[in-house]
Amino acid sequence: MTENKTNWKREVLAGTTTFLAMAYILAVNPGILSFGLSEALNPAEPLAAIANGTAPDPGAIFTATALASALGCLVMGLWARYPIATAPGMGLNAFFAFTVVLTLGIPWQTALTGTLVSGVLFFLLAVTGAREYIINAIPAQLKLAVGAGIGLFIAFIGLKNGGLVVGSDATLVKIGDFSEGTVLLTVFGLVVTAVFMVLGWKGGVFYGMLATLGLGLATGVIDLQLAEGFTPNLDAAGAAFTGFEDAFTVHMIAVILTMLFVDFFDTAGTLFAVAGQAGLVKDGKLPRAGRALATDSIATSAGAVLGTSTTTAYIESTAGVSVGGRTGLTAVTTGFWFLVSLVAFPVFGLVANNPSVTAPALIVVGVLMAKALGEIEWVKLEYAIPAFLIVAAMPLTYSISNGIALGLVFFPIMMAAKGRWKEVHPIAWVLMLASIGYFLFLTE
């Protein structure tokens, strides 16, 4: 702390600020992986899939989220010594639920096995020199497009869950019914959350959820009984070890590689962004980068064993850095609060089981992730075309992997057409062929 000109009070405040900025994941993650998945599997009986085990128990997802986040934060703080917090990643949880389980029909237990395998592979990449080789193989423009596309996909899920966008036989989608209380509550939550964010409140998303919850309870739109049955448990722990028999099919290999790809580049980008804001990047390099990346992979593997989707570094860590966080004590403090949250499960149960409360958070997080669009070189069509296809295909095909694959197919072709084929990394050509195979054999 002396070396970084900080003190324990400032670090604790920073860690608390980071927690408030990302605490929404404790409600949103069960909302997607359990309640959201169950409703998507059986719209007529939204909770039926949870009852029969086709979707995981929400209390188990909540527990796994809190414990995986706490573990990742503690390892990041004590070993890598960075003020960067970890938690199950937004986007990857949607990929897990709506692409892997819902679209591909893979059991959630097997999907957890895939998450575990991707975490182990990530660890191997993190502790060897392979990480730099792979990072350099994927052009920065595609990395930016993947992040932005995931943001739009998450926002679309939020608009759908909140009732602002509904299905239509004539136009596929249309605006929702604003005479419904749940839709109006979603609108209120979106406005309030957006105002908090514009005002610069560090925990704006979290406070917006609490305000929406309060209004919902006061108006009777939300029933207190929604929290019943939402209790912390470890029912999903160990489920990842039951799916190895089906974990290495062609479909699952594609799933594992997608998880690895998104997590690897998302984590690397977040680490450099947060460390750069904190002034911890030296001569363009990140000290102890191997430890920081390995921390993410350890948290992902542990989270999969506990029962949640991929754990990754959170850009909300910049909230803590902005109030002075510079050392691992910031991350340790955030981890402490995740453990404390285990006793506040009734509040998170109410939030997670009500899409009107979580939808505004998804939409605003989508906005934050879409900022990457501004960094794409749209004037260069060899970049713009594959980037646009990535961004557009994710929400429109309801699949993150479809968007990534489209971009990987078009990028080498566009670069070759421009006469820049020598600038395309050999791995990019391999990924193009693999993506073509994905569309020919893995999509329905």
Side-chain angles (χ1 to χ4, degrees), residues 216-232:
L217 291 172
T219 58
V221 175
I222 298 177
D223 191 339
L224 279 170
Q225 292 183 343
L226 289 174
E228 293 182 2
F230 188 96
T231 54

Side-chain angles (χ1 to χ4, degrees), residues 31-33 36-38 40 93-104 153 157 160-161 398-399:
I32 290 177
L33 295 182
L37 177 59
S38 181
N93 51 7
F95 172 73
F96 183 105
F98 300 115
T99 297
V100 181
V101 180
L102 180 63
T103 304
L104 297 179
F153 181 55
I157 292 173
K160 170 182 171 292
N161 290 351
Y398 220 67
S399 170

Side-chain angles (χ1 to χ4, degrees), residues 153-430:
F153 181 55
I154 290 173
F156 180 69
I157 292 173
L159 291 167
K160 170 182 171 292
N161 290 351
L164 297 179
V165 172
V166 297
S168 168
D169 293 335
T171 59
L172 293 183
V173 292
K174 64 179 182 180
I175 197 71
D177 183 359
F178 282 80
S179 65
E180 294 185 6
T182 53
V183 176
L184 291 174
L185 186 61
T186 300
V187 173
F188 169 81
L190 181 57
V191 172
V192 169
T193 304
V195 169
F196 288 165
M197 296 297 289
V198 170
L199 292 175
W201 290 23
K202 303 304 181 184
V205 175
F206 181 64
Y207 297 139
M209 291 170 63
L210 291 181
T212 308
L213 175 63
L215 179 62
L217 291 172
T219 58
V221 175
I222 298 177
D223 191 339
L224 279 170
Q225 292 183 343
L226 289 174
E228 293 182 2
F230 188 96
T231 54
N233 64 77
L234 291 170
D235 289 352
F241 296 120
T242 66
F244 277 103
E245 182 177 340
D246 302 315
F248 298 101
T249 62
V250 177
H251 274 96
M252 275 305 299
I253 290 174
V255 166
I256 291 169
L257 291 178
T258 300
M259 289 177 174
L260 179 63
F261 174 87
V262 176
D263 187 24
F264 192 83
F265 293 109
D266 182 56
T267 298
T270 300
L271 289 174
F272 274 93
V274 178
Q277 180 179 335
L280 302 175
V281 176
K282 309 297 183 183
D283 300 322
K285 297 182 179 180
L286 187 67
R288 306 181 303 282
R291 289 189 182 187
L293 289 169
T295 294
D296 188 281
S297 63
I298 291 170
T300 290
S301 302
V305 172
L306 290 167
T308 186
S309 54
T310 304
T311 303
T312 186
Y314 259 56
I315 196 64
E316 282 83 356
S317 302
T318 55
V321 168
S322 68
V323 297
R326 294 295 182 273
T327 73
L329 182 55
T330 293
V332 169
T333 302
T334 304
F336 167 77
W337 285 118
F338 271 112
L339 291 176
V340 172
S341 69
L342 286 169
V343 302
F345 60 89
V347 174
F348 291 108
L350 278 173
V351 174
N353 199 13
N354 195 292
S356 296
V357 181
T358 56
L362 294 174
I363 297 168
V364 172
V365 170
V367 172
L368 298 177
M369 295 181 70
K371 289 191 296 184
L373 290 170
E375 301 178 48
I376 296 174
E377 298 182 54
W378 295 106
V379 295
K380 297 182 179 180
L381 289 179
E382 61 270 32
Y383 294 146
I385 291 174
F388 177 80
L389 290 173
I390 289 174
V391 172
M394 286 187 185
L396 293 179
T397 67
Y398 220 67
S399 170
I400 292 172
S401 54
N402 285 349
I404 292 174
L406 266 179
L408 292 175
V409 169
F410 272 81
F411 176 74
I413 297 174
M414 297 300 99
M415 291 291 284
K418 188 67 176 179
R420 300 175 60 184
W421 61 272
K422 291 184 179 180
E423 299 177 39
V424 180
H425 198 284
I427 290 181
W429 291 104
V430 174

